[in-house]
Amino acid sequence: MSQVEGCPNVFQAVYAVPLGCHEYKFFVDGEWRHDERQPHKTVEYGIVNTFDAIPIPAEVPLVHPRSEILNNMEVDNGLMHRVSAVTLNQAMPRISEEDVTASRHRIAVYLQAHTAYELLPESGKVVALDVALPVKQAFHILSEQGIPLAPLWDFRKGKFVGVITASDFILILRELVNNRSNLTEEELETHSIAAWKEGKAYLKGQVDGHGRPIPKELIYVSVQYSDLHASPSENLKDVALKILQSGVAIVPIIHLEDGLFPQLLHLASLAGILKCICRYVKHCPSSLPILQLPIYAIPLGTWVPRIGESSSRPFAMLRLTASLSSALDMLVEAHVSSIPIVDDNDSLVDVYCRSDIMALAKGRAYTHNLNEMTVHQALQLGLDSNPPYGTRSQRCQMCLRTDTLLKVMEQLAN
């Protein structure tokens, strides 16, 4: 059992079970016990709790035609049944397109009325790295700081010129696996971040007609001060669109002032913007009907296809016994930030995230053969590392298909 986030005295374990009657007991401090508050009976094992697993109709509001919802339902493989189709034949509350449009408009108005300055915490630190640092040193610094990325500063140019992320280290390690002669572990000692960024441009074919790497401009939000008041040039909607359209995880918020070096204030992310939205709607969720919709009815997310049907986007997941190199390949090729790790019954046991690559800095584990290291071994490295890797139970968040959009947003924001 794992601790439930926010409830220090509550623990849970989630299992998939077939339809029918089930019996269970708790093994507490070496003693078998039962819960007197739940249904129970006496059997050959003494007193046991019981429950019946039956299909539960999920009466939820709809915004799409019935056929479209059916096409976007996932299969609960472990439960051996799916939500009863009777729900599709009953009269259910619906949300109108007008309400959807109104909800989107209110969110847009809120984001446009609030500035990037509101994302800044009251206190905190931001780590930046010099582009002249060796890649290996950068890897260890980010691991020790417990962060997956850092903006890059170029002293020669006197400005921030880019960001190094967990994805960079994933690409580097893939290169080590695929062709060790190109970039050996020893070369990581002297291979600078700037040299890697140039090599990455060649790797991705981002070169001009003369074969030279095309320099990429840093995507950032500028903040300028006037009479002690912050005047960011962009609102939260601009920041969100910049992150989404550029396909980046964060955008630095930089204070610019004539005659002075730029100051790095914060790293803006979608999670920070989600927190702002959740605070805004916390006391009046009913004013935004779209937030009350269940995620599968929108539909939102990537779903396992129905049996016998193909999926336009395969659902990425791996077993604990899969090689770490296959996990790195999947992160890059499937364009996902994390992979569900499942057992032989496809039940969730953990997740492997891009940022987990930082745990390989411990004991120079990245020098091992990543084809021979399993995902399970890589996750164990994370358990032995410093936070945020130490509390794995809080990483393994789950939601139900019937959870509202607002509930899922709050989980992601936290």
Side-chain angles (χ1 to χ4, degrees), residues 48-69:
V48 298
N49 291 113
T50 65
F51 75 94
D52 292 317
I54 59 175
I56 301 175
E59 296 191 14
V60 293
L62 298 178
V63 71
H64 288 281
R66 296 175 182 177
S67 59
E68 187 171 343
I69 292 176

Side-chain angles (χ1 to χ4, degrees), residues 8 21 27 59 83 123 145 176 195 210 267 312 315 328 404:
C21 182
F27 193 63
E59 296 191 14
V83 174
S123 64
Q145 294 293 322
L176 284 170
H210 301 287
L267 303 178
S312 57
F315 188 70
L328 302 186
T404 64

Side-chain angles (χ1 to χ4, degrees), residues 93-125:
R94 294 175 177 270
I95 181 172
S96 66
E97 289 296 334
E98 290 76 14
D99 282 340
V100 173
T101 302
S103 295
R104 289 182 172 181
H105 176 70
R106 289 193 186 104
I107 294 293
V109 168
Y110 168 78
L111 292 176
Q112 288 172 320
H114 292 75
T115 66
Y117 187 72
E118 296 181 41
L119 298 175
L120 272 61
E122 292 184 3
S123 64
K125 69 174 181 179

Side-chain angles (χ1 to χ4, degrees), residues 207-259:
V207 294
D208 59 22
H210 301 287
R212 294 186 295 259
I214 301 172
K216 294 183 67 175
E217 292 296 322
L218 174 66
I219 301 167
Y220 68 97
V221 175
S222 64
V223 178
Q224 295 179 330
Y225 286 92
S226 175
D227 298 328
L228 301 181
H229 292 289
S231 303
S233 59
E234 292 165 274
N235 56 47
L236 291 181
K237 183 179 179 181
D238 292 333
V239 178
L241 289 174
K242 186 168 285 191
I243 292 173
L244 290 168
Q245 293 171 355
S246 304
V248 295
I250 61 98
V251 291
I253 298 180
I254 299 174
H255 170 218
L256 300 174
E257 192 170 338
D258 292 340

Side-chain angles (χ1 to χ4, degrees), residues 28-49:
V28 184
D29 297 331
E31 179 185 352
W32 285 103
R33 299 170 60 180
H34 69 281
D35 186 351
E36 295 181 353
R37 297 168 298 179
Q38 300 298 328
H40 55 274
K41 66 180 181 180
T42 302
V43 297
E44 58 180 309
Y45 304 108
I47 302 177
V48 298
N49 291 113

Side-chain angles (χ1 to χ4, degrees), residues 284-328:
C284 55
S286 59
S287 65
L288 294 159
I290 195 171
L291 298 183
Q292 304 310 311
L293 283 176
I295 53 172
Y296 89 89
I298 295 177
L300 183 72
T302 304
W303 300 87
V304 172
R306 296 174 64 195
I307 294 174
E309 292 184 357
S310 60
S311 175
S312 57
R313 183 181 181 187
F315 188 70
M317 58 184 179
L318 286 174
R319 303 274 189 268
L320 282 169
T321 53
S323 68
L324 179 57
S325 61
S326 66
L328 302 186

